[in-house]
């Protein structure tokens, strides 16, 4: 696949990121040299076990949490499933009402649908035209039997950041469990769950230059969450399965690297994004920036183009050396408008196409200039075909 990538401009960092050299280097010893199963009783296995426990301490330090509040998982989807299903189960005696938002990732939405099938009642909070929920709406949705609230930190399509601190204050005061899907935000934004009143939080390594297939669930020590995966006694008996040692070590190295470089990297992403948005809106007709003008992820630029099919545009960009998305990675290939845009009030009538560009710290101004050029030509070309 090397030739496919060589001259390509990668602008899909919300889908996934390149494994950093630091993370790769940290992982290498655990791929071949120290391959022992951390559960083993000999010293060789202890090398792997120590690496996992060291990683747990580091991740806890970054989150200002305690090591025993960190559970390693296979990524965001597993963490979301675990948090919601087991929190619902834990609180079943107290009530059966769950609140989430209409714009969550499918890892949360589809899990909520499953919980509805099991008899739970779920309220999907609406969002405004910027993709933001209102804390007043959230407050009014709370009933006596509300047991759990799940709100994503930042949206994976339009990048909008939610008022997590304000929600955490409400849930803490009312004794309702609060889960946050921080998959898009972690790395980019320093997040200290205890300070924010968060009880459960999902993180995924491949969104911040760590490896794929590894993540974590933060579980506040005050929440007696039960196991989701049954089997061996790994992760204090809470998440069975042989630990992904190299993955855990790689994720931690990537998280540490992000925490050291956060200011520099996010400032660069934001600068490039602002320049990109300004030029696109100025130089291409019938384009709108979606999402919140300010409260959004640094590298996110999401647009809707009138009279252009988003998938056609993604293909055009691909043929011209640019990798972008219509929405979330999971929605690509679907013809329907994304549930996020529909919730924000955009029509589901095919009158526009959505394009998401997510800039990373490795992108350059030359790449953005080239992208603008291709976008301009592409918009004109695709619109002229549509008119024929
Ligand atoms: N939650 C959000 C907000 C995401 O953007 C994603 C991935 O795109 C996930 C959850 C799923 O994470 P993973 O790919 O690690 O399963």
């Amino acid at each position: 696949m090397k030739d496919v990538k060589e001259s390509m401009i990668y602008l899909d960092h919300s889908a996934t990121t390149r494994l950093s050299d630091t993370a790769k280097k940290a992982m290498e010893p655990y791929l071949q040299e120290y391959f022992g199963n951390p559960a083993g009783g000999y010293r060789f296995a202890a090398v792997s076990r120590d690496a996992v426990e060291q990683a747990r301490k580091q991740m806890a330090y970054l989150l200002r949490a305690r090591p025993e509040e960190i559970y390693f998982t296979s990524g965001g989807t597993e963490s979301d499933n675990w948090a919601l299903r087991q929190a619902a189960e834990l609180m079943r005696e107290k009530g059966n009402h769950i609140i989430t938002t209409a714009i969550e990732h499918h890892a949360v939405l589809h899990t909520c649908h499953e919980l509805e099938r099991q008899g739970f009642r779920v309220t999907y909070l609406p969002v405004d035209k910027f993709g933001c929920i209102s804390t007043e709406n959230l407050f009014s949705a709370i009933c006596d039997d509300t047991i759990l609230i799940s709100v994503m930190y930042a949206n994976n399509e339009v990048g909008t950041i939610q008022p997590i601190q304000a929600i955490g204050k409400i849930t803490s005061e009312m004794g309702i469990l609060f889960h946050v899907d921080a998959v898009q935000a972690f790395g980019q934004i320093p997040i200290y769950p205890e300070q924010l009143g968060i009880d459960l939080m999902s993180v995924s390594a491949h969104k911040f230059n760590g490896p794929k297939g590894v993540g974590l669930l933060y579980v506040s020590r005050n929440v007696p969450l039960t196991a989701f995966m049954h089997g061996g006694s790994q992760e204090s008996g809470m998440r069975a399965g042989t630990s992904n040692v190299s993955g855990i070590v790689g994720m931690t190295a990537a998280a540490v690297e992000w925490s050291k470089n956060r200011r520099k990297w996010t400032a660069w992403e934001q600068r490039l994004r602002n320049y990109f948005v300004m030029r696109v809106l100025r130089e291409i007709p019938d384009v709108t920036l979606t999402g919140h003008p300010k409260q959004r992820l640094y590298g996110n630029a999401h647009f809707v183009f009138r009279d252009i099919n988003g998938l056609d545009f993604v293909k055009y960009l691909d043929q011209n050396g640019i990798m972008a998305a219509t929405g979330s990675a999971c929605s690509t290939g679907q013809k329907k408008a994304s549930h996020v845009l529909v919730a924000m009030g955009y029509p589901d009538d095919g009158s526009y196409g959505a394009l998401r560009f997510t800039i990373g710290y490795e992108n350059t101004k030359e790449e953005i200039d080239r992208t603008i050029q291709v976008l301009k030509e592409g918009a004109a070309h695709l619109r002229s075909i549509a008119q024929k």
Side-chain angles (χ1 to χ4, degrees), residues 295-360:
Q295 287 293 110
R296 68 188 302 148
L297 291 172
Y298 299 100
N300 177 292
H302 187 285
F303 303 100
V304 294
F305 291 75
R306 221 172 69 198
D307 301 329
I308 299 181
N309 177 294
L311 286 176
D312 291 345
F313 216 161
V314 167
K315 271 188 219 147
Y316 180 92
L317 293 174
D318 184 25
Q319 280 153 11
N320 287 278
I322 291 153
M323 297 182 257
T326 51
S328 77
C330 323
S331 301
T332 302
Q334 289 181 6
K335 281 242 151 78
K336 273 172 37 183
S338 94
H339 66 286
V340 177
L341 290 185
V342 171
M344 287 163 68
Y346 289 86
D348 190 5
D349 61 0
S351 61
Y352 62 88
L355 276 190
R356 179 189 72 180
F357 298 89
T358 40
I359 295 167

Side-chain angles (χ1 to χ4, degrees), residues 144-299:
D144 287 346
D145 62 351
T146 305
I147 49 171
L148 170 67
I149 295 181
S150 178
V151 178
M152 69 200 322
Y153 204 111
N155 183 262
N156 47 298
E157 292 187 31
V158 296
T160 302
I161 294 170
Q162 302 297 339
I164 295 299
Q165 186 154 24
I167 302 168
K169 200 159 177 292
I170 297 173
T171 53
S172 304
E173 280 167 11
M174 302 189 77
I176 299 167
L177 285 184
F178 184 26
H179 167 250
V180 172
D181 176 339
V183 166
Q184 291 290 336
F186 182 83
Q188 298 262 328
I189 299 169
I191 307 175
Y192 309 123
E194 189 168 355
Q195 278 181 19
L196 295 170
I198 297 171
D199 297 299
L200 305 160
M201 189 171 89
S202 310
V203 167
S204 175
H206 72 103
K207 307 291 185 180
F208 54 92
N209 304 92
K212 292 169 183 55
V214 60
L216 65 81
L217 180 66
Y218 160 85
V219 182
S220 159
R221 59 193 175 280
N222 302 317
V223 179
L225 203 70
T226 47
F228 174 54
M229 297 275 254
H230 301 277
S233 60
Q234 292 90 354
E235 299 296 305
S236 314
M238 288 277 277
R239 197 276 185 186
T242 303
S243 308
N244 175 359
V245 182
S246 63
I248 291 166
V249 169
M251 166 166 73
T252 306
V256 170
E257 197 178 16
W258 257 99
S259 78
K260 284 185 184 152
N261 293 285
R262 181 157 33 230
R263 265 174 216 272
K264 191 171 71 189
W265 288 350
T266 54
W268 178 244
E269 288 177 3
Q270 191 175 24
R271 222 169 111 193
L272 281 186
R273 193 271 315 276
N274 291 349
Y275 168 73
F276 180 51
V277 169
M278 182 200 61
R279 282 200 53 196
V280 168
L281 296 182
R282 208 166 57 191
E283 297 175 31
I284 304 178
D286 296 324
V287 182
T288 316
L289 178 74
T290 54
H292 198 281
K294 293 215 170 75
Q295 287 293 110
R296 68 188 302 148
L297 291 172
Y298 299 100

